Amino acid sequence: MSSKCLSVLLTVLIISNCNGIPVNYAIEEEKGPDYYLGKISDGANLRSSPEITSDAEFESLRYNLLSSGNPDAQFFTVNERTSDLYTTKTIDRDELCRFSDTCILQFEIAADTSASDFFTKINIIVNILDINDNEPSFPSEVVNLSLSEATVLGTSAWKEGADDRDHGTFSVQQYQLLPTDTPFAIETEFYADGRTQVTLKVNQNLDREINSSFTLTIMAVDGGVPPKSGSVTINVQINDINDNAPKFAKSIYNITINEDLPENTVILKVHADDQDEGLNGEVTYKLSTLQSADIFRLFRIDLQTGDIRITQSLTQEESKQFKIIVEATDKAPSPLTSQTQVIVHVLDTHNTAPEVTVTTISSKINDEYVEFSENTNIGITMAIVLVTDHDSGYNGAVTCTLNDDHFYLKSEGDNEYNIVLGNSLDREINEWHEIVTTCSDAGSPRLSSSGSFRLHVLDVNDVPPVFTQVLYKINVEENGPKSVSVVQVHANDNDATAEQNVLYSLELAEDYKDIFSIDSTNGLIYVEQSLDRETYPSITFKVLATDNQPQPLTGSAMVEVTVLDANDYDPVFTPLEFQFTVPENRPPDISVGRVLAVDADSGINAELQYTLLPMSSEAPPFRVLSNGTILTTMYFDREMTAQYTFSVMASDKGSPSRSSTAKVIVNVHDENDNPPIFIFPGKETDEIRVSYQSLPNTVIATIQAYDPDTSFNSHISYIMNGSNVLENFELNTHTGQFSVISQLDQSDIGTYDLILTAVDDGEQEHQRSVKLVIIDKATVAASQSESEIKYFAIAVAISCITIVLSVLIVLAICLIKRKERQHHEKIAESVTTCSSLETDSEGSDIRFGDVCTRGILHKSNTNSLKRNDQSSKPNPIKKPFTTVVSVDEVIPEVISDSVEIWDWADSEYSRNTGQSLPHDLEPFSTFSSKTKQKNKVHWQASQC
């Protein structure tokens, strides 16, 4: 049965023995503290529990870890309110459950609430999964063994097993022997308790003389991906046995000696090697006993060194050849012996040397040498050699050689030769030649004699001046002084006729002609200008040396000038302003981008380091790496801070250091991490009151919410759900305007639950319950909370001030309209009213005469208005209605019985954000989808 099946079976058994709600988690070992496992309320499905009757009761649940007497609980902690389960410390499965196939930690969480008598226990089962976090290890890292080279095949030389604290496939799965080309092999055994054992065996014959030692590595490999391994080094020393006999360098030695050698002369040294070691490899020498007695009389051998000496002169011996048998024996208890033969040839030494006479073609100077020019033609005869040998046979057969390869011998008959020039003479290489002719006969031993003469080579101008260096490398400081000598070159002329009057010059490219100069007599090279490394990092040119001859020769060398950098450039950012974007809600050490500066200098002067410079007293939440990469140091919340601005300074490592800065702007990219927030209704206790006499297409309230996110994440749609009476109402999904779309009657009077939902484009949503109250009063009173009543006096004062300001505004409008009326009277019919207020139910426009402004008519008293459509049909007299929101939200300023101005500046949105209601949150009028027509109603204004 696999470990996975055992784990599942054990978990089932644990669950079956628990009284509480089982919740299972599985995590890998070695997770550190604060590792998140999950939300216990989701795992236990408490929200769906029939014992929990409301969301409020679910939200009031508190969670406690029952740790008393349970050691498993020490590894975990639970958030009392959210039920989030975290680890408190690192869990090492190999320590907790070393010898178990599964590792299960179990503890209980109690969930209860003060809002009811609900209480339950949740049984948490955490399966700790093994990871491959341990390497196999041997008891010893190094093992030393000694084996005889006579060890029998199949012998076990060493046994041991590697230990791996991991379990299952992560434990040791195989062993490997390295290298593979050794006379050893391994055998592996696996035991039921998880242990393993590897045996090192000898599977080939050992030969110390081939390999006296081995260094083996046995590697234990586990089954991880990638696998981990551990190894042991085994040093095997092979002990010697005497299995090699001494071996002579030659099986037969042939030597030739003179018969008149003095007594005790060493004529030969024999040597034998024994590949064994110790006494098995120490060799002694002796003459074999099974040979002629003359050998023991005339020769002897040194026991230790193998030197063969003659014991007396051989001149009286008739035999001119001797065969000596030499034995070499090692010092082992059972010694091994080998033999070699030494053949000694004795030469007759009674012979006369030949006579050599050398005659030069040209006359000798001072009877000491002859002279030839170095441009002498090849093939010319320099001298004649005559050889005389009065011996006969081999002793009279003469051959001659020369010691100088510039010349060769040309035979002109028996024992006569010409010395001929074979190669060109070069005075600069060799001014004098000692030419020796050696002639030897073929006697035994060979006798020789020689004759010689000296030759002096005369000079011609054939060598150009040669500089002491082929390449002159010099360093020059950047921005250095002018007209300064930087190097002195020197050339030699090896011609004897040269007066050593060498003239120097420079061969410069056009760009360098004004930069360098040279003193033609002493070779001093000058820098005539300050050098800029960034323009000329290095300059190479040729220097010439010409000898002072009728047909002058010129030599050259190269000069390589390296301009040493001075720190004369600031680092340069491209561009000077960097803009990056980083998403919000990401962990620290996220790369936001890389700034890069370039320094035109070189070396350490161009090595840059980057530093953040805050643009305020507060350090920016970023850090910069040595390569200019900018990393975050914290989580970002765009709703808190949308943009960060700071500077990055690039400094070189020159002395003194130079630096420059660049501006960095990091914009925090918005994520949809905020749900919409209701402005109205602002509280669960808010009500929407409407008279059942309200006319269709009347806007009775504007539902408003805002979203702190940006762009599409802040676009809000509105949804309503509730009673069937809502069929008489309509909620504009975009503007939030709540309107009556069909006539109500007295049977609809009552209080209804209305659930409003605000959803942004990212599908984050927020719900708000509100009471829809349909009443039979002609005027709808605003429901006020206790906090609003407290500030009623303040509201009255503000209303009074607002009325005064409104009167001033009306007077100003009247003055403007009077001027407009005077203008229109010239081009149109007379208008009897001072001004008119026109509303458009589709466009939600308020027009005063020709002046149009966006707005909402929240209150109207229709029975006090005159219709301008001249229709004979009487106006239906309806009771006035008022759409009311919470006083905490908006309090209208009453201009007249016909008009109210609603000021949103003191709404919850303004108090929370410090801003006026955004344009996209301004409510718009909604018209009935049934009529689809544009209705205009004109009111007669008050006295102008």
Side-chain angles (χ1 to χ4, degrees):
M1 183 179 293
S2 66
S3 60
K4 183 176 181 181
C5 293
L6 290 173
S7 176
V8 173
L9 179 58
L10 182 59
T11 303
V12 170
L13 291 175
I14 291 173
I15 293 173
S16 63
N17 292 329
C18 297
N19 296 325
I21 302 173
V23 176
N24 290 280
Y25 297 102
I27 64 170
E28 293 181 345
E29 63 170 328
E30 300 299 337
K31 296 298 184 183
D34 298 326
Y35 178 77
Y36 178 71
L37 282 77
K39 186 181 289 294
I40 293 173
S41 60
D42 293 343
N45 201 18
L46 294 181
R47 186 181 290 274
S48 302
S49 173
E51 299 180 33
I52 297 178
T53 60
S54 67
D55 289 343
E57 182 179 359
F58 174 77
E59 295 297 332
S60 68
L61 287 178
R62 296 296 177 262
Y63 304 87
N64 294 290
L65 191 150
L66 304 179
S67 59
S68 178
N70 186 356
D72 293 350
Q74 63 177 314
F75 296 101
F76 304 94
T77 184
V78 64
N79 188 294
E80 180 184 12
R81 293 179 176 273
T82 65
S83 80
D84 290 336
L85 184 62
Y86 297 89
T87 59
T88 61
K89 60 178 71 176
T90 300
I91 302 176
D92 187 352
R93 182 197 184 282
D94 308 315
E95 185 70 25
L96 291 174
C97 313
R98 173 70 191 281
F99 301 104
S100 298
D101 290 335
T102 59
C103 189
I104 302 296
L105 300 182
Q106 182 180 359
F107 54 94
E108 291 182 327
I109 300 291
D112 62 351
T113 175
S114 60
S116 67
D117 59 354
F118 176 82
F119 175 82
T120 187
K121 286 184 179 180
I122 304 169
N123 189 43
I124 307 300
I125 299 102
V126 181
N127 186 9
I128 308 301
L129 304 178
D130 189 28
I131 64 173
N132 192 22
D133 58 337
N134 291 286
E135 298 176 350
S137 62
F138 287 90
S140 300
E141 294 183 357
V142 178
V143 175
N144 296 314
L145 301 178
S146 294
L147 296 176
S148 171
E149 61 179 331
T151 301
V152 179
L153 296 182
T155 300
S156 296
W158 175 82
K159 286 186 178 182
E160 191 57 80
D163 180 48
D164 192 328
R165 292 171 59 84
D166 291 322
H167 188 76
T169 58
F170 294 149
S171 63
V172 176
Q173 300 297 311
Q174 62 172 323
Y175 290 91
Q176 299 174 0
L177 175 63
L178 300 173
T180 58
D181 55 344
T182 65
F184 298 93
I186 58 173
E187 291 183 358
T188 304
E189 296 177 89
F190 294 88
Y191 298 100
D193 60 0
R195 293 186 303 109
T196 59
Q197 181 171 275
V198 61
T199 302
L200 179 67
K201 289 190 173 184
V202 179
N203 69 340
Q204 296 180 21
N205 291 325
L206 302 178
D207 191 341
R208 190 206 62 81
E209 288 71 38
I210 297 177
N211 283 311
S212 62
S213 64
F214 296 89
T215 299
L216 308 176
T217 299
I218 296 180
M219 184 178 297
V221 183
D222 63 22
V225 180
K228 293 182 179 293
S229 62
S231 63
V232 59
T233 299
I234 302 179
N235 299 315
V236 182
Q237 185 69 35
I238 308 301
N239 296 330
D240 183 52
I241 62 172
N242 191 27
D243 56 346
N244 291 280
K247 185 177 181 180
F248 283 98
K250 296 180 180 179
S251 60
I252 298 177
Y253 292 86
N254 279 285
I255 63 170
T256 300
I257 62 174
N258 293 333
E259 61 181 350
D260 56 355
L261 288 177
E263 180 182 342
N264 207 35
T265 299
V266 176
I267 62 172
L268 179 65
K269 181 182 181 69
V270 294
H271 180 72
D273 286 322
D274 193 324
Q275 295 184 2
D276 294 323
E277 64 180 359
L279 293 176
N280 298 335
E282 293 184 14
V283 178
T284 60
Y285 304 93
K286 68 175 182 177
L287 299 178
S288 174
T289 57
L290 299 177
Q291 56 186 325
S292 169
D294 288 340
I295 299 299
F296 294 98
R297 179 175 58 85
L298 299 174
F299 304 95
R300 65 183 175 85
I301 188 169
D302 189 284
L303 181 68
Q304 302 297 332
T305 65
D307 291 339
I308 300 176
R309 301 172 184 269
I310 57 173
T311 58
Q312 61 185 41
S313 175
L314 302 179
T315 57
Q316 303 300 321
E317 299 298 321
E318 294 182 2
S319 176
K320 298 301 181 183
Q321 180 175 304
F322 300 92
K323 185 174 74 171
I324 306 172
I325 299 176
V326 178
E327 290 183 349
T329 305
D330 59 34
K331 296 181 179 181
S334 298
L336 299 177
T337 300
S338 61
Q339 293 182 342
T340 187
Q341 295 185 49
V342 178
I343 308 299
V344 180
H345 301 277
V346 181
L347 295 179
D348 184 2
T349 57
H350 296 287
N351 188 16
T352 58
E355 296 177 359
V356 179
T357 303
V358 178
T359 303
T360 60
I361 298 300
S362 61
S363 300
K364 290 184 178 181
I365 298 174
N366 296 327
D367 202 25
E368 294 180 357
Y369 59 89
V370 294
E371 290 185 333
F372 284 88
S373 173
E374 61 180 329
N375 60 358
T376 299
N377 293 329
I378 295 175
I380 191 171
T381 299
M382 300 289 193
I384 299 173
V385 178
L386 295 176
V387 181
T388 303
D389 193 329
H390 298 288
D391 294 325
S392 61
Y394 289 108
N395 291 339
V398 178
T399 57
C400 299
T401 59
L402 287 176
N403 68 326
D404 194 327
D405 59 5
H406 283 83
F407 309 92
Y408 65 91
L409 289 173
K410 182 180 179 182
S411 177
E412 294 295 335
D414 292 342
N415 295 333
E416 182 177 347
Y417 304 93
N418 289 342
I419 299 177
V420 181
L421 179 63
N423 292 311
S424 299
L425 300 175
D426 191 337
R427 190 204 66 82
E428 290 72 32
I429 297 176
N430 195 351
E431 185 178 357
W432 291 91
H433 292 266
E434 185 74 27
I435 305 170
V436 179
T437 304
T438 302
C439 297
S440 304
D441 61 23
S444 180
R446 296 172 65 92
L447 298 178
S448 62
S449 60
S450 63
S452 64
F453 69 96
R454 296 184 71 200
L455 183 147
H456 180 237
V457 182
L458 300 176
D459 183 52
V460 296
N461 187 29
D462 59 346
V463 177
V466 178
F467 283 92
T468 56
Q469 296 178 219
V470 177
L471 175 65
Y472 292 87
K473 291 186 176 182
I474 58 174
N475 296 326
V476 178
E477 295 287 343
E478 182 181 17
N479 303 325
K482 302 178 181 179
S483 301
V484 176
S485 63
V486 292
V487 69
Q488 184 174 24
V489 298
H490 181 72
N492 296 316
D493 194 331
N494 291 329
D495 286 328
T497 55
E499 299 180 359
Q500 300 299 318
N501 188 11
V502 177
L503 299 178
Y504 299 97
S505 61
L506 298 179
E507 188 176 285
L508 295 167
E510 191 66 31
D511 292 342
Y512 306 149
K513 287 187 176 180
D514 296 332
I515 299 177
F516 298 98
S517 65
I518 190 170
D519 190 309
S520 61
T521 58
N522 60 21
L524 279 173
I525 297 178
Y526 294 86
V527 176
E528 300 294 346
Q529 299 179 7
S530 294
L531 296 179
D532 183 4
R533 189 205 63 81
E534 288 69 36
T535 303
Y536 301 113
S538 66
I539 301 173
T540 302
F541 55 87
K542 186 181 292 186
V543 58
L544 306 176
T546 305
D547 59 23
N548 188 17
Q549 294 294 317
Q551 295 180 345
L553 298 177
T554 300
S556 65
M558 299 303 295
V559 179
E560 184 179 285
V561 179
T562 300
V563 182
L564 301 180
D565 185 52
N567 195 20
D568 53 349
Y569 280 85
D570 292 333
V572 177
F573 282 97
T574 304
L576 294 178
E577 179 176 298
F578 295 85
Q579 293 210 14
F580 303 113
T581 300
V582 60
E584 64 175 334
N585 302 323
R586 294 295 189 273
D589 289 331
I590 295 296
S591 172
V592 301
R594 181 185 178 190
V595 297
L596 182 64
V598 178
D599 196 317
D601 293 317
S602 66
I604 195 172
N605 295 330
E607 294 182 14
L608 301 181
Q609 54 190 4
Y610 298 89
T611 308
L612 290 183
L613 299 177
M615 301 190 72
S616 64
S617 60
E618 184 176 350
F622 302 93
R623 62 187 181 93
V624 63
L625 302 181
S626 58
N627 64 353
T629 299
I630 298 176
L631 302 179
T632 63
T633 61
M634 70 174 193
Y635 284 82
F636 290 96
D637 186 350
R638 189 207 61 80
E639 287 71 37
M640 295 296 294
T641 304
Q643 187 181 83
Y644 296 88
T645 302
F646 54 91
S647 294
V648 173
M649 180 175 69
S651 306
D652 60 33
K653 297 182 180 179
S655 180
S657 175
R658 302 177 73 100
S659 63
S660 62
T661 60
K663 183 179 180 181
V664 178
I665 299 174
V666 180
N667 295 299
V668 182
H669 180 72
D670 183 54
E671 292 186 349
N672 191 24
D673 56 347
N674 291 282
I677 299 173
F678 276 98
I679 298 174
F680 176 80
K683 298 179 181 179
E684 296 287 352
T685 57
D686 285 343
E687 295 179 347
I688 299 177
R689 291 178 175 268
V690 60
S691 171
Y692 79 93
Q693 298 174 346
S694 299
L695 294 177
N697 299 327
T698 301
V699 177
I700 61 174
T702 300
I703 309 304
Q704 290 191 327
Y706 75 95
D707 193 317
D709 293 321
T710 60
S711 187
F712 295 105
N713 295 331
S714 64
H715 293 175
I716 299 174
S717 300
Y718 301 95
I719 304 170
M720 69 175 179
N721 293 288
S723 173
N724 292 334
V725 76
L726 294 179
E727 295 177 355
N728 299 310
F729 299 90
E730 180 181 67
L731 176 64
N732 190 304
T733 60
H734 300 293
T735 65
Q737 289 186 339
F738 188 67
S739 308
V740 178
I741 60 173
S742 62
Q743 186 65 53
L744 301 172
D745 54 36
Q746 286 186 333
S747 64
D748 294 326
I749 295 174
T751 300
Y752 302 91
D753 290 328
L754 178 63
I755 298 176
L756 302 174
T757 304
V759 184
D760 62 25
D761 283 359
E763 299 185 357
Q764 292 257 23
E765 65 178 38
H766 185 199
Q767 290 187 343
R768 178 61 53 85
S769 297
V770 66
K771 299 292 185 181
L772 175 62
V773 182
I774 301 177
I775 60 177
D776 60 353
K777 296 180 181 179
T779 303
V780 181
S783 60
Q784 299 179 341
S785 64
E786 293 181 1
S787 60
E788 293 167 340
I789 296 174
K790 290 181 181 179
Y791 298 103
F792 178 75
I794 298 175
V796 171
I798 295 175
S799 299
C800 294
I801 296 173
T802 304
I803 291 172
V804 173
L805 293 175
S806 299
V807 171
L808 294 176
I809 292 172
V810 170
L811 291 176
I813 292 173
C814 289
L815 291 175
I816 294 172
K817 295 305 294 182
R818 178 179 295 175
K819 291 182 180 181
E820 289 183 353
R821 185 173 63 252
Q822 292 173 354
H823 173 72
H824 288 297
E825 285 175 350
K826 297 178 182 180
I827 59 175
E829 290 180 280
S830 175
V831 180
T832 60
T833 60
C834 294
S835 63
S836 63
L837 176 68
E838 178 180 285
T839 64
D840 187 336
S841 61
E842 289 182 346
S844 299
D845 292 339
I846 298 176
R847 292 183 176 86
F848 291 91
D850 293 336
V851 181
C852 178
T853 179
R854 300 289 292 174
I856 302 172
L857 185 64
H858 287 271
K859 180 179 180 180
S860 64
N861 194 343
T862 57
N863 61 353
S864 65
L865 302 178
K866 297 178 181 180
R867 295 177 57 88
N868 280 343
D869 56 4
Q870 306 299 323
S871 173
S872 61
K873 184 178 179 180
N875 281 334
I877 303 301
K878 298 289 184 177
K879 293 183 179 181
F881 69 91
T882 304
T883 299
V884 180
V885 298
S886 172
V887 177
D888 270 349
E889 298 299 323
V890 183
I891 298 176
E893 177 184 345
V894 179
I895 300 301
S896 68
D897 289 341
S898 301
V899 178
E900 289 180 358
I901 295 177
W902 294 73
D903 183 8
W904 294 90
D906 197 34
S907 66
E908 180 181 333
Y909 179 89
S910 299
R911 292 194 298 272
N912 290 341
T913 65
Q915 302 175 4
S916 299
L917 193 66
H919 178 72
D920 57 357
L921 295 181
E922 291 182 0
F924 295 94
S925 298
T926 304
F927 61 92
S928 171
S929 59
K930 297 179 180 179
T931 60
K932 298 289 186 177
Q933 64 183 11
K934 185 174 182 181
N935 298 318
K936 293 185 178 180
V937 181
H938 297 267
W939 289 267
Q940 181 67 41
S942 302
Q943 290 292 332
C944 296

